[in-house]
Amino acid sequence: MPRPFLLALALLLPLLSRAGDAPSTSPDPPRTFRRLLIRPGAADAQVQEVLVAGGVTTIIRTPWGLHRRRPASLARTRPAPPFELLVGRGKVVVTPTRALVPGERFALVLRLEDDTVVPLALVGAARAAADGEVRLALDPNDSEELRVQLAAATSRAQGLEAQLRQALQEQDSEDFALAGLLAGGNVHLTALEKVRERQLVADEHARITVASYATASDRHGGRKVALVFTIANRGAAPMQVNIQDVSRRSTLALVPYAARAQPLRVAPGASGLLSVVLDGASPMPDEDPVTLELAIRRGGAQTQLALDVSEGDFASWWLF
Amino acid sequence: MVLLLAGCPVGVAVRPDGSPAEEPCPAGAREAMAELGLWPRASAQVDLDVTQLREGALLVYDGPLESETVVPMGELSAKTHLFGRVWTGGPRVVIRYYSAQLPDGRKLPFCGVANWNGPGLPKAPGRPGSAALSQTFASVDVVSQFR
């Protein structure tokens, strides 16, 4: 008997921001940034944002010590905010305890030892864009702070340049070409064979199914596996499905992938394909599956779908 | 009538288990499909019964069936109608497609079968001549011969 195919766990999460329009790109180890946040003293000053991501630790440094009794507090929500906070002298270490959808926001209030209150927003970001270290400044005219700000801006620009270079390389990669063929409905032009199919979502608004594919042999330059999602939009609003992250469930370590969607936005009454190509040569034991996190946006609402896949999902038990 | 014009067989032999016997693709199907970039292993999702597009279970009967592609397959666009025939007597429901009508009205011979996690479709027991399917959609896969 074939093992259970895919374990799908849908979590409804209200999100406050948009999902990216571009097809997903293959992630590298996270590149984090040093950044300076300047908070002018005005009461109506804008709340500064700190970019955080699952599995990435962010250090927030304050200009002087934190309040002894109430140094840092997260806004109380249900479920509880997914962060681990460690408070030191003049710094707060923030570690998300789960992957965050880009744009997801949580309020964090710091209180300094002189009772200055600094409201911040922890905002979910791609791992490559997360803040590694943030220095909080209260005086925008401090020359040392301006120097740090310049260095941080330079570092961020270099990081963005590296990301752009990587994106351009990915456009030419074999995996992205393969993903493009699959998203175009041309699986028969590849060496991939369908292994299993499963229904993930089926209601009056949408139907999402996924089929897993694997190469029958290694003769095509290494084993590749792929997932092809078929998205049928039955609702009245446009629909969009994006891959947010692909990672090991146990360690949150990122797994490289190539993804393509056709079309990027599915109109009401229409359908689309989203393909994801993975390196099937890397072990994917059942006890440590790979988790794909998808963001499904219908109109103004967004839901998240987590999908675990392991070797059993790509082991051919029938081919035709 | 469309089925007869498109060469849909009405007298395919049936195996002892109730499933249809082998038969060749309709005349000209391979050439017509090749012009659309379709070869065996091409695959797409279909809504099985164009008269029942809601989600849920689906009752199918032995005889003709009109389905509709959900997504493109090669150069065959979405919302192409596929005309086929249903056999419910075997261990799984067999649906063979013999012709296609593109959204622009063009008709062509076609050679494909409906599958879901293996050849054919899983079914729940029903009255003779019919079968209950747990879903209203399936994959249609292009084949070089009906087996």
Side-chain angles (χ1 to χ4, degrees):
Chain A
M1 287 290 287
R3 284 177 289 179
F5 170 55
L6 294 166
L7 174 63
L9 173 64
L11 298 171
L12 288 176
L13 291 175
L15 298 177
L16 303 178
S17 186
R18 65 176 182 80
D21 285 350
S24 306
T25 55
S26 177
D28 261 355
R31 177 187 172 84
T32 57
F33 301 96
R34 287 186 67 195
R35 205 153 61 88
L36 179 70
L37 296 183
I38 295 178
R39 176 177 158 72
D44 59 350
Q46 191 178 359
V47 173
Q48 297 284 356
E49 295 182 344
V50 177
L51 304 179
V52 291
V56 178
T57 295
T58 298
I59 302 171
I60 303 173
R61 294 190 184 279
T62 53
W64 50 85
L66 287 151
H67 196 273
R68 289 191 176 208
R69 280 182 297 170
R70 298 185 57 196
S73 55
L74 286 158
R76 288 183 184 174
T77 58
R78 288 194 178 201
F83 295 99
E84 200 174 72
L85 291 185
L86 292 173
V87 178
R89 179 168 175 79
K91 69 181 175 189
V92 177
V93 180
V94 180
T95 307
T97 53
R98 66 163 168 79
L100 301 175
V101 176
E104 209 173 349
R105 296 170 73 94
F106 300 88
L108 171 67
V109 176
L110 302 184
R111 185 183 293 267
L112 307 185
E113 58 188 7
D114 66 349
D115 269 338
T116 301
V117 174
V118 183
L120 297 171
L122 301 176
V123 181
R127 287 170 62 99
D131 286 318
E133 182 177 328
V134 169
R135 266 190 67 178
L136 184 66
L138 301 183
D139 179 3
N141 298 315
D142 186 302
S143 60
E144 171 60 13
E145 288 172 351
L146 288 174
R147 189 189 66 74
V148 172
Q149 187 175 30
L150 178 62
T154 304
S155 168
R156 180 169 290 272
Q158 288 169 344
L160 292 173
E161 187 184 336
Q163 285 179 35
L164 177 62
R165 252 197 322 272
Q166 181 186 337
L168 291 172
Q169 286 172 355
E170 286 169 350
Q171 281 186 348
D172 296 330
S173 81
E174 290 177 14
D175 285 2
F176 274 80
L178 184 56
L181 280 172
L182 296 174
N186 289 301
V187 65
H188 55 295
L189 302 181
T190 74
L192 294 169
E193 305 275 2
K194 192 189 300 175
V195 181
R196 305 205 204 306
E197 297 166 289
R198 183 182 166 103
Q199 175 180 310
L200 298 179
V201 175
D203 58 33
E204 67 271 28
H205 301 299
R207 182 172 75 215
I208 301 176
T209 60
V210 61
S212 58
Y213 290 86
T215 43
S217 73
D218 292 343
R219 68 180 185 278
H220 297 283
R223 180 174 156 84
K224 294 290 177 191
V225 297
L227 297 164
V228 179
F229 298 85
T230 300
I231 302 135
N233 184 0
R234 309 289 198 209
M239 189 173 164
Q240 191 171 342
V241 180
N242 292 92
I243 299 289
Q244 296 285 342
D245 235 344
V246 181
S247 59
R248 292 279 177 188
R249 193 213 279 171
S250 60
T251 62
L252 289 181
L254 290 178
V255 174
Y257 67 96
R260 283 281 184 259
Q262 184 62 39
L264 293 178
R265 203 177 290 261
V266 182
S271 301
L273 293 169
L274 168 66
S275 63
V276 183
V277 175
L278 303 168
D279 178 13
S282 302
M284 279 190 272
D286 290 344
E287 61 273 16
D288 185 17
V290 167
T291 300
L292 287 85
E293 292 184 13
L294 293 91
I296 304 166
R297 187 173 187 191
R298 306 186 210 182
Q302 190 161 298
T303 55
Q304 192 179 13
L305 180 72
L307 192 69
D308 284 352
V309 294
S310 61
E311 283 165 359
D313 300 316
F314 303 104
S316 301
W317 57 276
W318 66 272
L319 295 171
F320 57 91
Chain B
M1 187 63 176
V2 172
L3 292 171
L4 290 173
L5 287 174
C8 181
V10 291
V12 178
V14 175
R15 294 188 172 105
D17 70 355
S19 58
E22 288 187 5
E23 64 176 316
C25 287
R30 290 189 204 181
E31 295 78 7
M33 290 193 296
E35 282 187 20
L36 291 173
L38 294 179
W39 309 94
R41 289 195 311 113
S43 180
Q45 195 170 100
V46 290
D47 283 317
L48 287 168
D49 187 342
V50 293
T51 66
Q52 300 183 66
L53 292 179
R54 46 96 194 106
E55 300 297 332
L58 178 68
L59 197 60
V60 293
Y61 298 88
D62 288 338
L65 181 74
E66 184 176 347
S67 305
E68 184 180 87
T69 58
V70 173
V71 288
M73 176 167 49
E75 293 173 34
L76 195 77
S77 59
K79 299 195 182 297
T80 292
H81 282 216
L82 301 179
F83 299 92
R85 187 171 180 84
V86 180
W87 285 265
T88 63
R92 285 166 71 99
V93 171
V94 175
I95 302 175
R96 293 176 174 175
Y97 294 103
Y98 301 94
S99 67
Q101 182 169 21
L102 278 60
D104 64 9
R106 277 184 297 155
K107 293 177 184 172
L108 62 146
F110 188 82
C111 196
V113 294
N115 294 316
W116 190 256
N117 279 331
L121 307 174
K123 68 174 188 178
R127 293 181 178 179
S130 69
L133 306 177
S134 61
Q135 58 193 41
T136 59
F137 59 92
S139 291
V140 61
D141 296 292
V142 169
V143 295
S144 57
Q145 177 188 3
F146 294 118
R147 295 193 172 90

